[in-house]
Amino acid sequence: MQEYKLVVLGTGGVGKSALTVQFVQNIFVERYDPTIEDSYRKQMEVDSYLYMKNGQGFLLVYSITSQATFADLQEIREQILRVKDTDDVPMVLVGNKCDLESERVVGREQGVSLARSWGNCTFMETSAKAKINVSEAFTDLVHQINQIIPPHQAHKVVPFSDPETRPTKAAEIVNQRGYLI
Ligand SMILES: Nc1nc2c(ncn2[C@@H]2O[C@H](COP(=O)(O)OP(=O)(O)O)[C@@H](O)[C@H]2O)c(=O)[nH]1
Ligand SMILES: [Mg+2]
């Protein structure tokens, strides 16, 4: 079975846990277990560099009810691009809590235009609560990853013609993409 390393990032409270649990377990959790939550957050702080380095695809989440969470994503994206050392990283921009239309402060067009400025990155408004676009967001990310390296080629041995650069290139591909090539 193919495994993908997906990383869900965004300010606290935007619904990262709720989206992940909805996708994996098909349930909406009003309050994610605070104990698990706490240790998860600590681990994330310690390992955020490694998460970014090893992550193959990124879900960047804000809440449509908070401009601050939307603004925070620019810095997060730049951090990812620095760590990955490329500007072509599988990514989906996600405006969560779209069931809270009456509390909306981030316009749909703001999301569309931010995604456009990120080189036409996929943009979706989601609701972990109402189960809108949750699996679509994760699935789109997986499709983007597969476009970089199709699954059937993931374990193929690719010979490099230039013996000078062979070890470096091989190491880079294994590290960045997480596949053995
Ligand atoms: N109405 C609504 N509330 C949500 C949604 N997603 C998460 N929440 C709520 O927002 C709060 C923070 O969610 P959580 O998943 O813990 O956010 P995290 O800090 O990003 O992991 C919780 O009270 C959730 O119940 C959503 O799509 N709609
Ligand atoms: Mg959480």
Side-chain angles (χ1 to χ4, degrees), residues 24-75:
V24 175
Q25 293 182 268
N26 278 299
I27 49 164
F28 176 65
V29 283
E30 194 69 45
R31 184 86 183 84
Y32 196 61
D33 186 314
T35 317
I36 298 172
E37 174 76 344
D38 198 46
S39 65
Y40 168 78
R41 188 177 298 129
K42 278 189 192 123
Q43 197 187 343
M44 188 71 200
E45 272 167 25
V46 174
D47 293 343
S48 68
Y49 173 83
L50 284 177
Y51 274 105
M52 287 189 186
K53 192 75 186 168
N54 295 328
Q56 295 171 290
F58 297 84
L59 229 64
L60 267 61
V61 185
Y62 65 93
S63 165
I64 68 153
T65 67
S66 161
Q67 282 288 350
T69 65
F70 181 71
D72 287 344
L73 291 184
Q74 186 62 36
E75 170 64 28

Side-chain angles (χ1 to χ4, degrees), residues 145-156:
I145 296 168
N146 285 343
Q147 275 165 11
I148 292 184
I149 301 177
H152 65 278
Q153 287 182 9
H155 298 283
K156 250 192 189 168

